[in-house]
Amino acid sequence: EAQVTQNPRYLITVTGKKLTVTCSQNMNHEYMSWYRQDPGLGLRQIYYSMNVEVTDKGDVPEGYKVSRKEKRNFPLILESPSPNQTSLYFCASSSGLGLNTEAFFGQGTRLTVV
Amino acid sequence: SQKIEQNSEALNIQEGKTATLTCNYTNYSPAYLQWYRQDPGRGPVFLLLIRENEKEKRKERLKVTFDTTLKQSLFHITASQPADSATYLCALDRDDKIIFGKGTRLHILP
């Protein structure tokens, strides 16, 4: 079954404690991205990757890091989380850049930073 | 810069009627525009893609139109059902990035 898998689904952490949210896809997609979703602000892109070792900033990259060492994995790293990073996070993948192909989204990670 | 506006935060429609949702953009016409459905706490699910040179696209009870003159896409659900209640997002590309509208919460009333 084609899917994007994120872990964990729920996470509560304290300010400043480094964390990683994993994302893996089994569709051999080249394009992967991370979004955060906040009430009233919608989905906003954090980072995206067009292929292995190629990453670029989205609209809200501050406070986040990503890496793309393998095609299937695209972890999101928060080196020093702060309460304003409390949000619902989604990873997505697609076979092409842009909107000429559909994006597949993970089930989401709800992060709370206290 | 390119912005997307979806017409309303929430829309209530009686079961069996046609629901029409609007997506407006501000600048250049995108090459593609997509619509997604999102249920509470879940990831968006792709519904339809329409290209710049297509006026209309259909899939079962769903229809999308794309008017580059008005800079607008309309998303229709005919014979609406309570199970169609969800948030619907439109998305378009901007400078190699994909941007989403804030969505319209659709409630189909039985």
Side-chain angles (χ1 to χ4, degrees):
Chain A
E1 180 191 353
Q3 59 185 4
V4 177
T5 304
Q6 293 177 230
N7 280 297
R9 289 291 311 278
Y10 302 92
L11 180 59
I12 301 174
T13 190
V14 295
T15 298
K17 186 176 181 182
K18 180 179 178 180
L19 67 91
T20 299
V21 184
T22 64
C23 174
S24 180
Q25 51 94 3
N26 63 359
M27 295 166 280
N28 202 36
H29 284 168
E30 292 182 348
Y31 188 90
M32 297 185 74
S33 56
W34 276 102
Y35 296 86
R36 62 178 289 174
Q37 188 172 38
D38 303 288
L41 296 176
L43 273 167
R44 294 179 293 166
Q45 194 175 50
I46 303 170
Y47 267 95
Y48 65 98
S49 169
M50 289 188 276
N51 214 325
V52 175
E53 303 290 2
V54 180
T55 63
D56 208 346
K57 296 176 181 178
D59 290 322
V60 288
E62 293 77 21
Y64 304 95
K65 283 175 56 177
V66 292
S67 69
R68 188 91 183 272
K69 294 187 171 62
E70 306 163 282
K71 201 171 187 179
R72 63 182 292 126
N73 296 322
F74 190 44
L76 179 70
I77 303 153
L78 284 72
E79 294 270 1
S80 183
S82 62
N84 65 11
Q85 292 178 298
T86 292
S87 188
L88 180 58
Y89 291 86
F90 291 103
C91 178
S93 75
S94 62
S95 58
L97 177 65
L99 282 183
N100 61 342
T101 59
E102 69 176 280
F104 292 80
F105 282 81
Q107 66 275 50
T109 295
R110 189 169 292 281
L111 173 66
T112 302
V113 184
V114 298
Chain B
S1 63
Q2 184 78 290
K3 290 187 177 142
I4 301 181
E5 292 169 0
Q6 293 193 242
N7 61 330
S8 55
E9 282 194 22
L11 188 63
N12 294 327
I13 298 291
Q14 204 66 43
E15 182 178 3
K17 301 290 187 186
T18 296
T20 298
L21 285 63
T22 305
C23 176
N24 295 297
Y25 55 91
T26 55
N27 292 351
Y28 59 86
S29 283
Y32 310 91
L33 193 145
Q34 294 185 342
W35 285 88
Y36 288 79
R37 168 184 173 139
Q38 186 176 24
D39 292 290
R42 309 290 293 271
V45 174
F46 171 82
L47 295 174
L48 280 167
L49 177 157
I50 187 163
R51 295 178 172 79
E52 186 180 20
N53 60 353
E54 296 175 322
K55 296 286 186 208
E56 183 179 296
K57 203 81 170 279
R58 290 177 186 261
K59 179 182 174 183
E60 298 172 354
R61 294 184 296 112
L62 308 180
K63 184 177 85 171
V64 171
T65 62
F66 194 1
D67 188 327
T68 54
T69 303
L70 293 178
K71 296 187 178 180
Q72 182 180 82
S73 174
L74 298 179
F75 176 81
H76 307 272
I77 305 176
T78 57
S80 59
Q81 304 165 0
D84 295 326
S85 297
T87 295
Y88 292 86
L89 309 170
C90 69
L92 53 84
D93 61 300
R94 182 197 70 192
D95 302 329
D96 288 347
K97 301 181 181 67
I98 299 170
I99 57 173
F100 284 83
K102 293 178 183 177
T104 298
R105 277 197 321 277
L106 177 65
H107 301 283
I108 304 300
L109 307 172

